[in-house]
Amino acid sequence: MKTTLTSLAVAASLLAAPAAMAADKMLLKTPIAFSTSLPGLGSPIPRVAEQLDLMSGGTLKMKVYEPGKLVAPFEILDAVSSGKINSGYTTAGYWAGKIPAAPLFSAVPFGPEAGEYMAWLYYGNGNALYQEMYDQAGYNVHVMPCAIIAPETSGWFATEIISPSDLEGLKMRFFGLGGKVMQKLGVATSLLPGGEIFPALEKGAIDATEFSMPAIDARLGFHKLVKFNYFPGWHQQATVFELMINKDVWNGATEQHKAIIENACKASMTDSFAEGEAIQHAAMIDNVENNGVQIKQWNDEMLSTFRSTWEEVAKEEAANDEFFAKVLADLTEFRTGYAVWKENAFLPRK
């Protein structure tokens, strides 16, 4: 009898297994804010999709939708929160108009480089504050960093910029908190998705632009219209990209699927950073040798002006929004401690 009962239990478990596996299957429909043709910017997420499938044995899949194919880039947050879609890949800086603190989880002027940023996110309070930000603002999303790139270029201009007065009156595409700095310096800024920047330059709707790293900007063809490319990217020393999942969907996922998604995104942080670092020099050399681009470094006066103006912006944003102040204070405290390590361990830049 014991053998019979055991046999029946095994048979029942085998019959139940397919049903359980079917119930545990998950499909993330993921519109993205950046074309997958843009290396380091949009290219990480298809690789994440591939890894989710492989690591889960096919029970967890992600279907990636190019910008605008399912949801417009600037609508992704609301769509994920409402459940219109169950996930999205974008960057928190796009939500500055909805959540003042959001840009602090995307790129900070004169802020942390990639290694320091990841240290704060994973081993400081960064990720906890990141989730708290969306919760406090009433968005029904679970968020995790899922890609990061190193410094961007500081912008593409039609003429040389020698002094702060040269910026006055310019119309420029600019991202995040750096855009508020430029506004204080007399620049009329607009935040355009990547695919809209070249036509805007071509038509004269904007005079200058920043977007991303040289190899990414090359895909968008800015060098055809504006020839002065400035460095360093003071406004974005590192930029974080996020995978958002509707919180009800996340809460209903198995622990295995949650772990696979989290670890695929952690791997993507490494992979995207490495990809970005590997391909910039070739694009810069090509720009100079074949495209007539002049690579320029900001002079000391300009960098000093950008920094002092950013400090003004940071104080104003903190005074206007309690949560911005909370995040900035935490990041600043972490960076103060990190500076002890950085200043002693790393070779000086000059």
Side-chain angles (χ1 to χ4, degrees), residues 3 9 26 38 142 178-179 264 286 302 308 313 319 323 341:
T3 302
M26 185 177 189
L38 299 177
H142 177 83
D286 183 57
M302 292 301 300
S308 62
V313 168
F323 194 75
W341 163 248

mmCIF file of all heavy atoms in Angstrom, residues 3 9 26 38 142 178-179 264 286 302 308 313 319 323 341:
data_model
loop_
_atom_site.group_PDB
_atom_site.id
_atom_site.type_symbol
_atom_site.label_atom_id
_atom_site.label_comp_id
_atom_site.label_asym_id
_atom_site.label_seq_id
_atom_site.Cartn_x
_atom_site.Cartn_y
_atom_site.Cartn_z
ATOM 1 N N THR A 3 3.838 1.544 -1.224
ATOM 2 C CA THR A 3 4.403 1.735 -2.551
ATOM 3 C C THR A 3 3.386 2.342 -3.488
ATOM 4 O O THR A 3 3.686 3.236 -4.279
ATOM 5 C CB THR A 3 4.895 0.386 -3.112
ATOM 6 O OG1 THR A 3 5.846 -0.151 -2.217
ATOM 7 C CG2 THR A 3 5.512 0.570 -4.485
ATOM 8 N N ALA A 9 1.515 9.522 -5.625
ATOM 9 C CA ALA A 9 1.979 10.886 -5.324
ATOM 10 C C ALA A 9 2.938 11.382 -6.388
ATOM 11 O O ALA A 9 2.872 12.536 -6.843
ATOM 12 C CB ALA A 9 2.655 10.919 -3.955
ATOM 13 N N MET A 26 5.902 34.090 -17.715
ATOM 14 C CA MET A 26 5.797 35.548 -17.632
ATOM 15 C C MET A 26 6.302 36.164 -18.929
ATOM 16 O O MET A 26 7.357 35.778 -19.442
ATOM 17 C CB MET A 26 6.625 36.049 -16.445
ATOM 18 C CG MET A 26 6.524 37.525 -16.140
ATOM 19 S SD MET A 26 7.506 37.930 -14.655
ATOM 20 C CE MET A 26 6.986 39.628 -14.374
ATOM 21 N N LEU A 38 21.263 52.159 -31.037
ATOM 22 C CA LEU A 38 22.186 53.071 -30.368
ATOM 23 C C LEU A 38 23.018 52.290 -29.354
ATOM 24 O O LEU A 38 22.512 51.835 -28.329
ATOM 25 C CB LEU A 38 21.416 54.201 -29.673
ATOM 26 C CG LEU A 38 20.578 55.084 -30.600
ATOM 27 C CD1 LEU A 38 19.810 56.126 -29.795
ATOM 28 C CD2 LEU A 38 21.455 55.756 -31.660
ATOM 29 N N HIS A 142 7.737 48.983 -9.912
ATOM 30 C CA HIS A 142 8.958 48.494 -9.273
ATOM 31 C C HIS A 142 10.105 48.856 -10.207
ATOM 32 O O HIS A 142 10.042 48.574 -11.412
ATOM 33 C CB HIS A 142 8.903 46.984 -9.065
ATOM 34 C CG HIS A 142 10.160 46.432 -8.470
ATOM 35 N ND1 HIS A 142 10.408 46.454 -7.110
ATOM 36 C CD2 HIS A 142 11.258 45.857 -9.042
ATOM 37 C CE1 HIS A 142 11.588 45.917 -6.872
ATOM 38 N NE2 HIS A 142 12.127 45.545 -8.027
ATOM 39 N N GLY A 178 21.291 69.353 -15.871
ATOM 40 C CA GLY A 178 22.191 70.208 -16.644
ATOM 41 C C GLY A 178 21.428 71.231 -17.460
ATOM 42 O O GLY A 178 21.913 72.351 -17.697
ATOM 43 N N GLY A 179 20.221 70.858 -17.893
ATOM 44 C CA GLY A 179 19.389 71.800 -18.641
ATOM 45 C C GLY A 179 19.011 73.005 -17.809
ATOM 46 O O GLY A 179 18.934 74.133 -18.323
ATOM 47 N N ALA A 264 19.901 39.813 -14.192
ATOM 48 C CA ALA A 264 20.104 40.190 -15.595
ATOM 49 C C ALA A 264 20.372 41.687 -15.702
ATOM 50 O O ALA A 264 21.234 42.124 -16.488
ATOM 51 C CB ALA A 264 18.892 39.805 -16.432
ATOM 52 N N ASP A 286 37.241 59.147 -35.992
ATOM 53 C CA ASP A 286 36.521 59.270 -37.264
ATOM 54 C C ASP A 286 35.950 60.670 -37.446
ATOM 55 O O ASP A 286 36.005 61.243 -38.541
ATOM 56 C CB ASP A 286 35.405 58.232 -37.326
ATOM 57 C CG ASP A 286 34.663 58.256 -38.661
ATOM 58 O OD1 ASP A 286 35.317 58.083 -39.719
ATOM 59 O OD2 ASP A 286 33.433 58.456 -38.653
ATOM 60 N N MET A 302 34.746 78.430 -18.192
ATOM 61 C CA MET A 302 33.464 77.795 -18.487
ATOM 62 C C MET A 302 33.135 76.705 -17.469
ATOM 63 O O MET A 302 32.006 76.636 -16.962
ATOM 64 C CB MET A 302 33.491 77.208 -19.896
ATOM 65 C CG MET A 302 33.537 78.240 -21.017
ATOM 66 S SD MET A 302 32.117 79.378 -21.009
ATOM 67 C CE MET A 302 30.740 78.248 -21.200
ATOM 68 N N SER A 308 29.540 76.468 -10.542
ATOM 69 C CA SER A 308 28.913 77.407 -9.594
ATOM 70 C C SER A 308 27.422 77.557 -9.881
ATOM 71 O O SER A 308 26.612 77.682 -8.952
ATOM 72 C CB SER A 308 29.612 78.771 -9.641
ATOM 73 O OG SER A 308 29.504 79.361 -10.931
ATOM 74 N N VAL A 313 21.570 75.844 -8.721
ATOM 75 C CA VAL A 313 20.408 75.039 -9.109
ATOM 76 C C VAL A 313 20.107 73.988 -8.041
ATOM 77 O O VAL A 313 18.947 73.784 -7.660
ATOM 78 C CB VAL A 313 20.645 74.360 -10.473
ATOM 79 C CG1 VAL A 313 19.584 73.297 -10.753
ATOM 80 C CG2 VAL A 313 20.655 75.397 -11.595
ATOM 81 N N ALA A 319 15.453 73.333 -2.018
ATOM 82 C CA ALA A 319 14.536 74.197 -1.264
ATOM 83 C C ALA A 319 13.094 74.022 -1.724
ATOM 84 O O ALA A 319 12.157 74.188 -0.929
ATOM 85 C CB ALA A 319 14.962 75.658 -1.413
ATOM 86 N N PHE A 323 11.815 65.871 -1.044
ATOM 87 C CA PHE A 323 12.425 64.585 -1.369
ATOM 88 C C PHE A 323 13.710 64.779 -2.172
ATOM 89 O O PHE A 323 14.672 64.025 -1.996
ATOM 90 C CB PHE A 323 11.455 63.678 -2.124
ATOM 91 C CG PHE A 323 11.911 62.248 -2.176
ATOM 92 C CD1 PHE A 323 11.814 61.431 -1.063
ATOM 93 C CD2 PHE A 323 12.475 61.718 -3.330
ATOM 94 C CE1 PHE A 323 12.257 60.112 -1.094
ATOM 95 C CE2 PHE A 323 12.921 60.415 -3.376
ATOM 96 C CZ PHE A 323 12.811 59.604 -2.248
ATOM 97 N N TRP A 341 38.478 57.632 -0.319
ATOM 98 C CA TRP A 341 39.007 56.527 -1.119
ATOM 99 C C TRP A 341 39.508 57.013 -2.475
ATOM 100 O O TRP A 341 40.626 56.712 -2.889
ATOM 101 C CB TRP A 341 37.904 55.487 -1.293
ATOM 102 C CG TRP A 341 38.105 54.495 -2.395
ATOM 103 C CD1 TRP A 341 37.378 54.398 -3.547
ATOM 104 C CD2 TRP A 341 39.082 53.450 -2.457
ATOM 105 N NE1 TRP A 341 37.828 53.362 -4.329
ATOM 106 C CE2 TRP A 341 38.883 52.759 -3.679
ATOM 107 C CE3 TRP A 341 40.098 53.030 -1.608
ATOM 108 C CZ2 TRP A 341 39.655 51.682 -4.064
ATOM 109 C CZ3 TRP A 341 40.874 51.943 -1.985
ATOM 110 C CH2 TRP A 341 40.658 51.287 -3.204
#
